[in-house]
Amino acid sequence: MRSIYFMRLPVTKRLGKQAMKVFTAPTMFKPALMIGLLGLSTANMYAQAAKSPANATINNPTASLQLISLNTDEIATEDDTNNLSDVADMLESADQVDDSIDSVADESALTDDTNEIDVSIPPEVAQVSLNAISPETLKTFVAVVDLVRREYVDAVNDEELFNNALSGMLTNLDSHAEFLDAEAYENLRAFTEGDVGDVGIKVNYQPTDGYWVITEVIDASPADKKGIAVGDYLHQVGDFKLDEDKESNDIEQLLTGIAGTQVDVVTSKAGRRKHTTTLQRNNSHPQTVEASLMDGIAVIKLPAFQNNSREKLLEGLIDLDAPITGILLDMRDNPGGVLTSAVSVASLFMSDTDVVQVKGRQSDTRTLSTQGLAILESLPVVVLQNRYSASAAEVLASSLQAQKRATIVGEVSYGKGSVQSVIPLNDEQAVKLTVANYMTASGNKIDGIGVEPDMTLSGSESTWEQQALALLKTKALDSGIRFVRKPAKEDKAMAGNKVQ
């Protein structure tokens, strides 16, 4: 890939021949064994995490990028972004294997063909030091399994039955914990490269019926596979009961989240009883960082935080091919994502600045700070958020706000303050578990509170971008910064031959 450089120049003038400074843009951080993610999804809009294989390689589209600024002396910088992966140290306890637990389960208690139930404790379980478990608890569990196998109206696959038991155990810890099967695990791993998913349905409110009605079900989508059909009523998504006061965008955001996560929906056939179905957001669609230019101001729409968000943001500025006097960072509906990605993006705007505090159960509080040169430090910034901006989006907004580096506009963000990690059980299954809480760099709580905007925007949300631009124009620079691609060496040589 070609390297890049940026030039500061008056908005109305073309680039002249001037002295340049050269420094290497920080490359993408190395994937840690455990990567903390933050994210909002489902009704409870929760955060995710992903664990990268030790031998995984991530293609860095800007590994060879350079940035060159005019009117300054030459300064060399080091790539410090690898330090961001140190957040994995805080989560190292999640990687530890309990050697006292046998990896092969004893199924003898569930294979008795007689009506008599074997309630003896399997030796493997008896050796586990769990303290809270009792023979009576095991007896009850085995009895329920046996009852379902013998008496439930439909035949139940044992593997599905036990997967459901695992899911129930985890989801009752909190709304963020999940058991991930092969498909969900793969989708969640894919998220770090850019995927957000939904369950494959669309709904409209029908005033005559007084219900939200499913108007479209995508073929082979999670909803389709679970038997949800056009015409069904949608009563609830997660903990959110639906009524006429909700808007279509609200429903869409509740059903959408990080690919591979799950959400419970309550539906019914007209005139029949309600039914709860757990759906995984496996109908994924890649996310892109969009950049546009409005009167010299770069409007960057950042839909989620993936490993390459920082590089994609820079590439968007390059592709504008024009001087920039300010940046409007639109993080509406951003569900969060990779924590270190949010810190990496913050590093574009601030130098040597604390961004977020992370506290795990078995570790001291860790403070993550910006790394490397703040390339965009001189540009004024306005951040646009809404009630669906969560987790990593709140981390970035709160840090920019605390340092008075940006003006936050819109409405109060969601308020998501916990970190989940995905811990693989094998190559195809994993557990997503809450392993830490996070707060602002100054120690203020975000969970259940959100980030208060500096300016609350009124009217339809469709007008918010124009309101934010009007505010940013009062802060815009008189001269801009232009990002362009530096010609490759072979292009330079050809140009030199032509001149000669």
Side-chain angles (χ1 to χ4, degrees):
M1 172 178 289
R2 295 181 177 179
S3 51
I4 64 169
Y5 55 97
F6 73 82
M7 297 159 283
R8 184 178 182 84
L9 72 167
V11 178
T12 57
K13 296 183 180 180
R14 296 179 61 85
L15 174 66
K17 294 181 179 180
Q18 304 177 52
M20 302 180 181
K21 85 169 179 182
V22 181
F23 58 93
T24 303
T27 57
M28 185 186 301
F29 53 83
K30 295 178 182 178
L33 187 62
M34 182 72 65
I35 304 176
L37 282 86
L38 309 174
L40 167 144
S41 53
T42 109
N44 294 313
M45 303 164 187
Y46 43 91
Q48 318 310 333
K51 176 166 181 173
S52 301
N55 62 350
T57 57
I58 299 177
N59 181 30
N60 180 2
T62 55
S64 63
L65 297 188
Q66 286 185 324
L67 296 172
I68 302 177
S69 175
L70 301 182
N71 303 322
T72 51
D73 298 327
E74 181 174 328
I75 299 177
T77 63
E78 296 180 358
D79 179 7
D80 295 322
T81 52
N82 288 337
N83 295 336
L84 297 180
S85 63
D86 289 344
V87 69
D89 297 339
M90 178 201 66
L91 309 177
E92 64 183 356
S93 61
D95 282 329
Q96 302 304 315
V97 177
D98 188 345
D99 293 330
S100 66
I101 301 178
D102 199 310
S103 60
V104 180
D106 183 358
E107 300 178 354
S108 60
L110 304 179
T111 57
D112 190 356
D113 292 330
T114 68
N115 289 331
E116 207 172 298
I117 302 173
D118 184 357
V119 296
S120 61
I121 303 176
E124 292 84 352
V125 178
Q127 295 173 6
V128 180
S129 179
L130 295 179
N131 298 325
I133 199 165
S134 69
E136 286 301 316
T137 300
L138 287 175
K139 178 180 178 180
T140 302
F141 178 79
V142 173
V144 171
V145 170
D146 183 76
L147 183 64
V148 171
R149 295 178 71 197
R150 289 187 290 108
E151 302 294 342
Y152 186 67
V153 62
D154 297 320
V156 180
N157 178 278
D158 284 350
E159 184 174 349
E160 180 182 357
L161 189 62
F162 273 82
N163 284 350
N164 290 341
L166 292 171
S167 294
M169 176 182 66
L170 292 167
T171 55
N172 278 282
L173 291 176
D174 62 43
S175 59
H176 316 309
E178 293 180 42
F179 173 72
L180 303 175
D181 61 16
E183 185 177 12
Y185 184 26
E186 180 58 33
N187 280 326
L188 189 53
R189 283 186 287 192
F191 163 73
T192 60
E193 299 304 317
D195 285 354
V196 169
D198 58 47
V199 299
I201 63 175
K202 293 184 179 180
V203 297
N204 281 325
Y205 184 74
Q206 302 294 339
T208 55
D209 296 324
Y211 293 106
W212 286 89
V213 178
I214 296 173
T215 57
E216 180 180 346
V217 179
I218 297 176
D219 290 341
S221 66
D224 184 37
K225 292 177 181 178
K226 287 296 184 75
I228 294 176
V230 172
D232 289 355
Y233 293 163
L234 180 63
H235 303 278
Q236 186 171 330
V237 179
D239 292 336
F240 288 78
K241 293 183 178 180
L242 309 184
D243 53 34
E244 60 182 359
D245 295 330
K246 290 288 188 294
E247 299 179 1
S248 296
N249 184 60
D250 293 322
I251 311 303
E252 180 181 352
Q253 291 305 317
L254 294 175
L255 294 170
T256 301
I258 295 171
T261 61
Q262 63 186 28
V263 58
D264 289 337
V265 298
V266 178
T267 61
S268 72
K269 307 293 182 183
R272 297 188 178 183
R273 64 185 180 88
K274 297 177 182 179
H275 177 70
T276 300
T277 306
T278 299
L279 301 175
Q280 290 179 332
R281 297 179 178 88
N282 293 341
N283 187 49
S284 61
H285 34 90
Q287 298 295 292
T288 58
V289 177
E290 299 179 6
S292 58
L293 194 66
M294 302 289 290
D295 298 328
I297 293 174
V299 179
I300 305 293
K301 294 186 178 181
L302 191 60
F305 288 92
Q306 280 86 35
N307 286 337
N308 60 2
S309 292
R310 175 190 178 278
E311 286 71 25
K312 291 297 183 183
L313 193 156
L314 286 176
E315 287 185 335
L317 294 176
I318 298 165
D319 292 339
L320 292 178
D321 194 22
I324 298 166
T325 60
I327 292 180
L328 173 58
L329 191 59
D330 189 346
M331 294 197 295
R332 287 177 292 177
D333 302 330
N334 185 315
V338 182
L339 173 59
T340 46
S341 175
V343 178
S344 183
V345 172
S347 299
L348 291 173
F349 300 98
M350 303 179 292
S351 58
D352 299 322
T353 303
D354 293 341
V355 176
V356 63
Q357 293 184 12
V358 185
K359 178 68 171 74
R361 176 182 175 184
Q362 300 180 12
S363 63
D364 296 331
T365 300
R366 296 287 307 276
T367 299
L368 304 183
S369 305
T370 59
Q371 303 287 337
L373 187 62
I375 300 168
L376 309 177
E377 192 169 22
S378 61
L379 288 168
V381 181
V382 168
V383 172
L384 181 56
Q385 65 177 29
N386 65 3
R387 60 190 178 279
Y388 297 115
S389 305
S391 290
E394 294 174 297
V395 167
L396 179 58
S398 64
S399 62
L400 293 173
Q401 184 182 54
Q403 299 299 321
K404 301 187 184 304
R405 179 62 188 87
T407 302
I408 313 300
V409 302
E411 61 186 354
V412 179
S413 61
Y414 181 76
K416 168 65 180 63
S418 61
V419 181
Q420 281 69 45
S421 283
V422 167
I423 307 167
L425 301 175
N426 49 53
D427 290 340
E428 294 187 344
Q429 295 173 318
V431 169
K432 180 163 68 67
L433 204 62
T434 301
V435 296
N437 294 312
Y438 72 88
M439 297 172 289
T440 67
S442 58
N444 294 328
K445 185 180 178 182
I446 291 179
D447 195 56
I449 297 175
V451 177
E452 289 275 354
D454 297 306
M455 178 183 296
T456 300
L457 298 184
S458 59
S460 171
E461 191 171 331
S462 62
T463 68
W464 286 9
E465 181 178 298
Q466 289 302 318
Q467 294 183 57
L469 284 170
L471 173 64
L472 187 52
K473 287 177 182 178
T474 65
K475 306 172 182 290
L477 301 178
D478 293 331
S479 59
I481 295 176
R482 181 175 186 143
F483 295 78
V484 298
R485 297 188 182 277
K486 184 178 179 180
K489 291 182 179 180
E490 55 270 22
D491 293 342
K492 281 186 174 181
M494 292 179 64
N497 291 335
K498 288 182 179 179
V499 171
Q500 293 175 354

